[in-house]
Amino acid sequence: MPVSRRTVLAGTAAAAALSVPAAPPAQAAPTTPATGASPTGAYRWRNVVIGGTGFVTGVLFHPTVRGLAYARTDIGGAYRWDEGPARWTPLTDHLGWDDWNLLGVEALAVDPAHPDRLYLALGTYAQPWAGDGALLRSEDRGATWTRTDLAVKLGANEDGRGTGERLLVDPRDSDTLWLGTRHDGLLKSTDRGAGWAAADGFPGTPGATGQGVTLLVAAGRTLYAGWGDSGPGLYRTTDGTTWEAVPGQPAGPAARIPVRAAHDRHAGELYVTYADAPGPNGQSAGSVHKLAVTGGGWTDVTPAVPGAGDTFGYGGVAVDARRPGTVVVSTNNRWAAVDTLYRTTDGGRTWTSLKDTAVLDVSETPYLKWGEERPKFGWWIQTVAVDPYDSRHVLYGTGATVYGTRDLRHWAPRIRGLEESSVRQLISPPTGPAHLISGLGDLGVMYHERLTASPSRGMATNPVFGTATGLAQAAARPSYVVRTGWGDHGNGAFSHDGGRTWEPFAAQPALAAQAPGPIAVGADGRVLLWSFVHWDGTGYPAHRSTDGGRTWTEVPTFPAGATPLADPADPARFYAYDTGSGTLFASTDGGLTFTGRAGELPSGESQFQLAAAPGRSGDLWLSTKGNGLYRSTDGGASFTRSASCRASYTVAFGRAAAGAPYPAVYQVGATEDVTAVHRSDDGGASWVRIDDDRHRWGWTGAALAADPRIHGRVYVATNGRGIQYGEPV
């Protein structure tokens, strides 16, 4: 539902200055000295390297600074590209738990007259349940920020998130900013974003599509605004006050939504890409047109028109700042013939498809092969950028990476430092080359033999999953790992070599294809319990296999939709927490039957998390979000609420501190007011915060894993900033 239009927006300038495989026997704490003790809580945080993995919705070269560029993502914040180190620097990691909705960047803007100034319009969802957006402004290229909270919602992860920049510095006055919104029209600030009000005279009337202003671009002193709701698709103003529909503009299904625009100042032409839907999905027709900004005439310069079985729209557009008439545009949502970039050097009279001669090198991020022989040129290409200082240096964003070239032929991911995966599951094995196995949204499961390089095997294959829904390892047989997820050729698989190679289950329950959910494996690897949860949240009883997935039987007494958990020491014991009734269910017969144990625990919310301390039977920890942290030492017969923390979202266990009798415990939770990452070396009696105000990464409540071999190392799942791992300083 659209929110009501607001005519006046109160901006609060809340400043925030920020720099930016033999199985070991079950045992208690290790007796050898632990490494990496951190009594002060000081940590060094880094990304586990995968490389990209998410939708890069905007890339922008600075027009007056060589080697400087910025990128925005739909859920993973903004980045700055520095040519010297040749990597992206994250700029919004300081946004914490309460600001999770601000990790999506709706738009960014630079000021050509002030090279160090940068502006970000933040807000992931424009739905009623989401928080309002915010404007960040920086005087030092994103090293520190001043924040203004807005009274409107922005939608960086909604349809249309790859359309043009909705934020613009007025070329006539650097203190004046324009912000296009989805439901509240066009906004204007005259004090560099500290305060905002509705732009007088803007004629667009917000509708129900949730698009509103799709782009803002300057052509000399004239400002253009794309409009994605009903009415004309392009407006302009020459004085910043009086707006009009651009005369003679294209119409029809192939020009319904203006996606992006770029001004060729040497030729005096404005290039606009169009589609019949905002994208990134759902486009089946599109076009490219150019406008003579002085004479006012329009010319259709569409490179190719979709034909039967090859439907698509157009997305990114960029002009060469040094060569008049040289333009690059991208197709979008072209699944039959695969998306491409078209380039012209004669103002659109003729075009060349750059995909046709492209040589792709994805050796730095092998997952981009998606389990196939060769990588694809890309999809969801809604942003293209041409370096204003190098005509053959081109970047384009996709649904998973940024590709770049220096010669228009050889392309490779230009992604170092940019990590955007949404992480669902994490395992840190006790043995083997890899210290981490991850389950991701869109990218299935990965085996991280090194934390500093993208997994050499890419995504787990046989089968390939889109989003992983379950990942589990047999505690006493860590070479045996199982995974579940959304896949076209099966929804479950197992590994006998710790997750390096996989085989699909010989059979799977009928529910697996439509509702693959989490899975558990008994401590000795002999029993599998697979739960089923539909995408809409509907849960079903778990199924059980005792022959490695060749046959399955329903477990009627298992609480429908719950997440199964295996006891790490007793192969006969399994657990599940029913959030609907607030009851812990347990099995002592290998998952054949479940009975209720402790009840009257927190209920009513989804995604409570149950964890088991390693090497101990029946030692359970229950995270219940704002209701706190509970612990049972009798297999769930009773629980005691922890007095040391106010809230808890996920818990993990790692190697014990030197001389400590209990594993180190980690949690994402709150001991007082701030939700953060904490560690306890005394069994949860006390906690020390180990993240800091520069490293918070928005929402981090999905998963947590701690290294059983290195005391102090912890892996944090984020929803858009990949996997973060911390080690004591």
Side-chain angles (χ1 to χ4, degrees):
M1 296 174 58
V3 297
S4 58
R5 186 176 187 184
R6 300 172 177 86
T7 55
V8 179
L9 309 172
T12 59
L18 300 161
S19 305
V20 284
Q27 58 183 5
T31 56
T32 54
T35 59
S38 176
T40 64
Y43 262 59
R44 179 187 182 188
W45 290 97
R46 289 170 285 182
N47 259 120
V48 174
V49 174
I50 303 175
T53 72
F55 188 19
V56 179
T57 50
V59 176
L60 176 66
F61 280 107
H62 198 286
T64 60
V65 181
R66 183 188 293 268
L68 177 62
Y70 296 95
R72 62 178 169 96
T73 66
D74 54 359
I75 63 172
Y79 295 80
R80 182 186 67 242
W81 174 265
D82 296 303
E83 189 67 24
R87 65 182 297 111
W88 298 96
T89 297
L91 302 179
T92 50
D93 282 358
H94 65 279
L95 296 170
W97 185 274
D98 293 337
D99 288 325
W100 68 267
N101 190 53
L102 301 183
L103 261 291
V105 184
E106 180 86 292
L108 57 84
V110 297
D111 185 346
H114 298 85
D116 292 337
R117 289 183 181 177
L118 174 65
Y119 301 89
L120 302 178
L122 307 179
T124 309
Y125 297 104
Q127 305 305 312
W129 44 262
D132 288 341
L135 190 287
L136 294 186
R137 59 190 188 275
S138 174
E139 295 279 358
D140 49 19
R141 305 185 185 185
T144 61
W145 296 100
T146 299
R147 171 173 164 176
T148 298
D149 291 320
L150 302 173
V152 300
K153 299 180 187 298
L154 304 179
N157 195 35
E158 300 197 356
D159 286 348
R161 57 194 183 274
T163 59
E165 301 306 331
R166 291 174 161 98
L167 186 63
L168 180 69
V169 177
D170 195 310
R172 299 163 299 189
D173 177 9
S174 289
D175 289 339
T176 298
L177 272 64
W178 302 85
L179 175 61
T181 74
R182 294 168 175 269
H183 301 286
D184 298 272
L186 181 65
L187 312 180
K188 183 179 181 180
S189 171
T190 57
D191 53 11
R192 295 193 49 238
W196 293 86
D200 293 336
F202 185 73
T205 301
T209 68
Q211 295 306 308
V213 178
T214 61
L215 65 89
L216 293 169
V217 66
R221 298 176 65 84
T222 300
L223 307 184
Y224 292 85
W227 187 250
D229 288 333
S230 60
L234 199 65
Y235 294 99
R236 70 183 178 191
T237 180
T238 57
D239 60 8
T241 300
T242 304
W243 291 83
E244 65 171 353
V246 179
Q249 60 186 278
R256 184 173 297 152
I257 304 289
V259 178
R260 284 185 174 266
H263 177 224
D264 184 341
R265 62 185 180 86
H266 296 293
E269 295 171 328
L270 183 72
Y271 289 82
V272 185
T273 58
Y274 289 91
D276 59 341
N281 288 315
Q283 294 178 343
S284 59
S287 60
V288 181
H289 297 258
K290 69 176 181 180
L291 168 69
V293 296
T294 300
W298 285 89
T299 305
D300 187 338
V301 292
T302 306
V305 178
D310 182 29
T311 60
F312 57 90
Y314 282 91
V317 57
V319 300
D320 189 329
R322 293 174 174 265
R323 299 182 179 181
T326 298
V327 186
V328 179
V329 300
S330 72
T331 64
N332 185 67
N333 204 49
R334 189 180 195 180
W335 297 104
V338 181
D339 280 303
T340 187
L341 301 185
Y342 286 107
R343 183 174 184 262
T344 180
T345 58
D346 56 14
R349 289 190 293 274
T350 61
W351 297 85
T352 300
S353 171
L354 298 182
K355 179 190 69 176
D356 296 346
T357 57
V359 177
L360 292 177
D361 177 6
V362 299
S363 57
E364 189 169 328
T365 51
Y367 78 88
L368 287 171
K369 292 184 179 179
W370 307 103
E372 300 177 358
E373 287 291 325
R374 298 178 180 177
K376 289 181 171 62
F377 193 72
W379 75 100
W380 284 14
I381 306 176
Q382 291 201 281
T383 182
V384 178
V386 176
D387 190 335
Y389 291 90
D390 182 354
S391 299
R392 298 170 72 82
H393 183 198
V394 180
L395 301 178
Y396 67 94
T398 78
T401 193
V402 175
Y403 277 113
T405 183
R406 296 279 185 176
D407 61 7
L408 302 180
R409 174 174 169 80
H410 296 88
W411 300 81
R414 196 69 56 81
I415 208 70
R416 292 179 186 174
L418 197 160
E419 301 284 347
E420 203 205 345
S421 53
S422 174
V423 187
R424 309 300 179 88
Q425 299 93 19
L426 296 172
I427 290 176
S428 184
T431 61
H435 281 249
L436 183 67
I437 306 172
S438 64
L440 311 171
D442 299 329
L443 297 172
V445 169
M446 291 195 179
Y447 179 86
H448 303 265
E449 63 270 79
R450 295 171 57 196
L451 302 180
T452 56
S454 188
S456 62
R457 296 175 178 272
M459 298 170 61
T461 58
N462 196 23
V464 171
F465 291 162
T467 293
T469 59
L471 182 62
Q473 185 173 44
R477 187 183 157 198
S479 61
Y480 187 66
V481 188
V482 293
R483 61 183 173 96
T484 55
W486 293 95
D488 294 332
H489 303 286
N491 304 88
F494 65 92
S495 172
H496 281 300
D497 56 13
R500 290 195 285 278
T501 61
W502 297 88
E503 296 180 47
F505 293 144
Q508 64 180 37
L511 284 167
Q514 59 178 310
I519 194 169
V521 55
D524 60 1
R526 295 184 178 182
V527 176
L528 301 176
L529 274 182
W530 192 353
S531 181
F532 300 100
V533 184
H534 194 260
W535 62 268
D536 65 3
T538 303
Y540 304 91
H543 282 61
R544 176 177 182 265
S545 176
T546 58
D547 54 13
R550 287 186 289 273
T551 61
W552 299 84
T553 57
E554 183 179 313
V555 183
T557 53
F558 184 91
T563 299
L565 176 69
D567 190 282
D570 186 347
R573 294 191 178 210
F574 288 83
Y575 310 97
Y577 188 72
D578 180 22
T579 59
S581 64
T583 303
L584 188 286
F585 283 79
S587 171
T588 57
D589 56 9
L592 191 62
T593 60
F594 281 79
T595 57
R597 292 196 172 182
E600 299 184 357
L601 291 164
S603 63
E605 291 193 59
S606 62
Q607 298 178 339
F608 288 170
Q609 294 191 14
L610 186 66
R616 292 159 171 80
S617 182
D619 190 347
L620 307 177
W621 295 63
L622 178 64
S623 296
T624 62
K625 297 186 176 181
N627 295 294
L629 177 64
Y630 291 77
R631 184 183 176 192
S632 172
T633 57
D634 54 14
S638 62
F639 279 85
T640 301
R641 192 182 191 279
S642 171
S644 62
C645 61
R646 177 184 59 81
S648 182
Y649 298 89
T650 182
V651 167
F653 306 90
R655 183 168 180 170
Y662 196 81
V665 188
Y666 301 80
Q667 73 156 329
V668 173
T671 58
E672 295 178 351
D673 294 331
V674 178
T675 300
V677 185
H678 296 83
R679 190 189 79 228
S680 173
D681 288 332
D682 56 12
S686 63
W687 302 87
V688 60
R689 180 182 171 186
I690 59 175
D691 67 359
D692 57 62
D693 289 345
R694 293 180 303 144
H695 302 94
R696 303 194 66 195
W697 321 291
W699 189 76
T700 52
L704 199 65
D707 203 302
R709 292 176 267 182
I710 302 174
H711 174 256
R713 181 187 285 178
V714 63
Y715 308 92
V716 180
T718 76
N719 186 45
R721 276 291 289 122
I723 306 166
Q724 303 287 336
Y725 74 103
E727 297 179 299
V729 175

